[in-house]
Amino acid sequence: MRSRLANAGVGLWAGLVLLAFSFLYWMQADALPRSSLGGSVGSDGLPKLLGGALAVMSCLLIVQSLLASPEKRQQDREGLPSRLELLRALGFWVIAAGFVLALPWLGYPVAVAAVLLAIGMYYGRRPSAWLIGFALAGAAIFYLLFHTLLGVPVPTGIFMDLLAR
Amino acid sequence: MQNFIYMVEAMASPSIIAAAFAGCLWGMMGGSLPGISTSIAMALLLPFTFDLNPSTAMVLLASVYVGAEYGGSIPAILIRTPASGSAAATVFDGYEMHRQGRSGEALGLSLVGGTIGGLVGLIVLATSTETVAQLALLFTPPAYAALGILGISVVASVSSGAMVKGVIAGILGLMLATIGTDPISGVGRFIYGQADLLEGISIILIMMGLFALSEQMMQAGQPDMAADPEARRSTRLVLPSLKTLWRLRVPQVIAWVLGLIEGLMPGGGGSVASFMSYNEAKRWSKEPEKFGHGSEEGVIAPETANNVVASTALIPTLSFGIPGSNSTAVLLGALLIHGLQPGPLLFARHPEVVYGLFGGLFIANFAMLALGVVLLSPIIWLVNQPKPFLQGGIFILIMSGVYSVNNSTFDLGLVLGIGMLGFTLRALGFPLLPMVLGAVLGPMIESNYRRSLMMGGGDLSIFVRDPVSAVLLGLALLMLVTSFIRESRHAGKAG
């Protein structure tokens, strides 16, 4: 049993996390305020049902991973991304998060140019005139498409505000 | 006979032909941009229709609808970014085909399958609107709720070797759909004081995060400079031969039937039909193992279905004045603006507008084919550019599309969070399709579930007493149980 627990790996841990989440979700659903307009089920009816269903399915996942054959467990482990792949994926996510945080301050055109440059460099391009030109042209095209043509009120940021003065 | 003449007259009218082409082009452009939904693309054109005659105005807007339903599949196939819910099921095999250097083939299948599907839907629309519309009346709230549950069960049960994970993903999707203001009681659920969450999480944000951003994170893990070398081989559109279309007749027929049924019912907007067609095509396929690995059937089935719905969704709109989606609601609004009251009398009082619209839609389907042939090859070339440029461009397209939904940077943060969730689930082997379907169908399931219980005085037996609901729930249970037994046997043999 001990070796089964040690080897159950991915499915077991995913099942345990989901089981914990299902309890948390159920408790949050239970804490929802009641309303006389809610009818016989109430606003917490479906969420509680879903919390319960997730708990049952999480238990099934745990049992399944404990009973899985060694070949299946090996297959599951091989399907996981390598450490390098994981780090590179997280790196991309950090660049994306940086863009989201900088967008209101830098404004759409500047933030777009900066992120195009950053992603280009993240994929191994050196900061050449060609890459900078691509970033600037990309920012201009996307600005024209979304702001000018489609009328989306994109964030202007400090630079555009200064220009407007 | 007179109605047929109205249709032919419309098809020969230069203004109707111009409206069909213009609407289709605008729809394809709008539909292919994430965040610019079909209804937004239609709404943007609405002010320009005020001065047009009613027939031309209706054809223009309905052609946008047809074009946008197809346009959504272009980014789904080429950059794993479905621009609408109805294109989400195309992602799996369409994008795989792209990675195998078969983008042209995938887009060709989608284009021709969609055109044929649109024409089939149109024939049903033109010949039997009044009769077929009666079928919609069989669907009561319990049946709608059961239909949603069946949809998720079908998708989860065919998640290759991972039925339990598929059901869990479906439940997580339903949980995402519960965030926001409860539509019945007005209570805010899981919003934690965030005003931006009051309206819930838009389905487009969920799809962008789960599909598009998680794919970008996966791609970042393989940082080769060039675009996928296999994908680069494909630079032009390849239309399927008649032989190929005949070989793919089963998934197309499945999609016609399901598209017709969904078109009659308000709610899914093509999503349910395309998801269910994908799964039924897999179930009936001689090569189900190819699904998810670049199956032609996996592309043509959902693409045909969502284009059938683009025509058949007009049946309840015109017959009863009940719009099945936001897009048909815009069309309904345009009818009212032009002084036309939808309903059975519309056919008697203004047959020239109704049948002129059908004639215009006929042209719009051919316009979609012609525009696709001209535009798709340059688009394929564009997405085969080196990764440093392509990934940056796709990222900005996703983020700009997401921002344009509510003009909110909060939404961008949500997409980042959902993207991380999608990446984690994919890495752990959870299928994302049931999760997306859960989120799409969640509001429909919940509102009909609660409405049913109100009708039945809180008694759950209403779901069994309603014959349509009982059959649908029975099917859902049967699929899950058989799938679980099959999976357990398979695991036992492997052990």
Side-chain angles (χ1 to χ4, degrees):
Chain A
M1 184 64 196
R2 198 175 158 187
S3 86
R4 271 193 181 278
L5 269 176
N7 289 324
V10 183
L12 176 70
W13 290 113
L16 287 173
V17 170
L18 285 165
L19 187 62
F21 174 73
S22 67
F23 280 117
L24 194 69
Y25 181 84
W26 195 94
M27 281 162 62
Q28 292 288 307
D30 192 48
L32 286 172
R34 303 281 186 276
S35 164
S36 53
L37 298 171
S40 49
V41 184
S43 57
D44 60 338
L46 187 71
K48 279 181 170 175
L49 196 69
L50 293 174
L54 184 61
V56 172
M57 295 311 293
S58 305
C59 291
L60 262 180
L61 185 64
I62 292 168
V63 172
Q64 234 183 14
S65 61
L66 285 172
L67 299 178
S69 61
E71 291 85 5
K72 175 80 174 76
R73 274 184 233 143
Q74 181 63 24
Q75 210 181 339
D76 284 351
R77 271 195 293 272
E78 281 168 5
L80 289 172
S82 67
R83 182 182 290 268
L84 180 67
E85 285 172 337
L86 206 61
L87 284 175
R88 282 203 56 90
L90 289 176
F92 186 90
W93 191 87
V94 169
I95 293 175
F99 169 78
V100 173
L101 290 174
L103 182 65
W105 305 100
L106 295 181
Y108 184 82
V110 180
V112 168
V115 83
L116 287 175
L117 196 66
I119 291 176
M121 288 166 65
Y122 192 63
Y123 271 93
R125 291 263 162 163
R126 274 190 239 156
S128 58
W130 170 238
L131 185 63
I132 293 168
F134 164 75
L136 293 176
I141 290 169
F142 279 112
Y143 184 77
L144 283 175
L145 176 66
F146 280 93
H147 180 72
T148 313
L149 186 67
L150 295 168
V152 177
V154 294
T156 48
I158 44 173
F159 296 111
M160 297 280 274
D161 287 348
L162 282 176
L163 278 177
R165 280 179 207 167
Chain B
M1 188 62 193
Q2 182 58 42
N3 295 338
F4 182 71
I5 293 170
Y6 286 135
M7 271 182 75
V8 175
E9 276 177 0
M11 285 157 66
S13 155
S15 63
I16 294 281
I17 294 171
F21 269 83
C24 216
L25 180 63
W26 177 255
M28 282 172 77
M29 284 165 54
S32 62
L33 288 176
I36 308 297
S37 63
T38 308
S39 52
I40 293 174
M42 290 171 78
L44 285 171
L45 269 194
L46 197 56
F48 299 100
T49 65
F50 292 165
D51 295 330
L52 299 176
N53 73 51
S55 291
T56 313
M58 289 305 119
V59 169
L60 182 68
L61 291 172
S63 303
V64 176
Y65 186 22
V66 170
E69 281 301 311
Y70 175 67
S73 69
I74 299 171
I77 290 170
L78 295 177
I79 57 174
R80 205 175 190 269
T81 305
S84 66
S86 57
T90 311
V91 161
F92 295 89
D93 286 284
Y95 185 67
E96 274 308 310
M97 285 181 81
H98 166 66
R99 290 183 63 186
Q100 294 163 14
R102 297 160 65 204
S103 335
E105 250 181 273
L107 286 166
L109 281 170
S110 148
L111 181 63
V112 176
T115 304
I116 297 172
L119 292 173
V120 169
L122 191 55
I123 290 167
V124 176
L125 176 70
T127 55
S128 46
T129 294
E130 285 161 292
T131 317
V132 171
Q134 301 304 316
L135 279 176
L137 300 177
L138 291 175
F139 275 77
T140 53
Y144 275 118
L147 180 75
I149 291 167
L150 173 66
I152 297 171
S153 310
V154 169
V155 175
S157 69
V158 291
S159 304
S160 323
M163 193 277 279
V164 173
K165 286 181 176 174
V167 175
I168 289 176
I171 295 171
L172 290 175
L174 286 167
M175 285 176 163
L176 276 178
T178 60
I179 296 171
T181 306
D182 170 25
I184 295 180
S185 67
V187 170
R189 297 188 297 194
F190 312 112
I191 56 174
Y192 305 105
Q194 279 291 342
D196 293 281
L197 286 176
L198 279 172
E199 286 185 30
I201 304 177
S202 161
I203 184 64
I204 194 83
L205 307 188
I206 294 173
M207 288 195 308
M208 292 297 116
L210 287 182
F211 286 143
L213 195 60
S214 76
E215 175 63 19
Q216 287 215 290
M217 289 171 73
M218 286 279 178
Q219 290 279 330
Q222 295 114 34
D224 46 330
M225 289 286 285
D228 209 319
E230 286 298 315
R232 277 180 72 85
R233 283 191 323 191
S234 166
T235 53
R236 64 184 183 86
L237 180 70
V238 182
L239 295 178
S241 63
L242 286 175
K243 200 175 153 190
T244 306
L245 288 172
W246 177 248
R247 184 164 50 80
L248 299 173
R249 63 191 179 281
V250 175
Q252 288 186 84
V253 172
I254 289 170
W256 295 345
V257 174
L258 293 173
L260 169 64
I261 294 170
E262 194 200 335
L264 296 174
M265 296 176 296
S271 309
V272 184
S274 55
F275 276 107
M276 287 190 75
S277 299
Y278 179 86
N279 288 295
E280 287 313 302
K282 184 177 181 181
R283 195 182 298 279
W284 288 88
S285 172
K286 288 177 184 162
E287 298 168 316
E289 70 284 355
K290 282 193 177 174
F291 278 70
H293 303 285
S295 162
E296 292 174 330
E297 294 170 285
V299 172
I300 204 163
E303 282 304 301
T304 303
N306 62 33
N307 281 280
V308 174
V309 175
S311 295
T312 53
L314 295 177
I315 294 175
T317 310
L318 297 173
S319 310
F320 303 127
I322 302 171
S325 61
N326 292 340
S327 319
T328 45
V330 175
L331 205 63
L332 187 74
L335 276 170
L336 296 170
I337 286 168
H338 284 88
L340 304 168
Q341 186 65 44
L345 288 179
L346 181 67
F347 289 82
R349 287 184 183 157
H350 302 282
E352 75 289 353
V353 175
V354 177
Y355 288 93
L357 170 63
F358 296 166
L361 278 173
F362 199 76
I363 299 289
N365 275 285
F366 284 105
M368 182 175 88
L369 185 65
L371 290 168
V373 169
V374 174
L375 296 174
L376 289 176
S377 291
I379 294 174
I380 298 172
W381 172 83
L382 193 68
V383 296
N384 280 335
Q385 297 313 300
K387 264 188 182 179
F389 305 121
L390 183 66
Q391 293 299 329
I394 292 172
F395 176 74
I396 295 303
L397 188 65
I398 294 166
M399 288 297 173
S400 305
V402 165
Y403 181 82
S404 65
V405 175
N406 295 315
N407 303 329
S408 155
T409 45
F410 179 82
D411 286 355
L412 300 180
L414 270 180
V415 168
L416 283 182
I418 297 169
M420 181 61 89
L421 176 68
F423 175 78
T424 310
L425 289 174
R426 279 179 75 178
L428 294 173
F430 284 81
L432 295 183
L433 193 57
M435 188 165 175
V436 172
L437 193 59
V440 170
L441 296 179
M444 181 183 100
I445 293 175
E446 182 173 16
S447 58
N448 285 293
Y449 168 71
R450 290 170 67 180
R451 210 168 287 146
S452 307
L453 288 182
M454 281 179 188
M455 282 164 56
D459 184 1
L460 279 168
S461 71
I462 191 168
F463 291 99
V464 189
R465 279 188 277 122
D466 182 285
V468 180
S469 160
V471 169
L472 295 176
L473 286 176
L475 276 173
L477 190 66
L478 185 72
M479 279 174 187
L480 288 176
V481 170
T482 51
S483 175
F484 186 71
I485 292 171
R486 199 171 49 235
E487 209 173 283
S488 303
R489 276 186 190 157
H490 183 72
K493 273 180 195 168

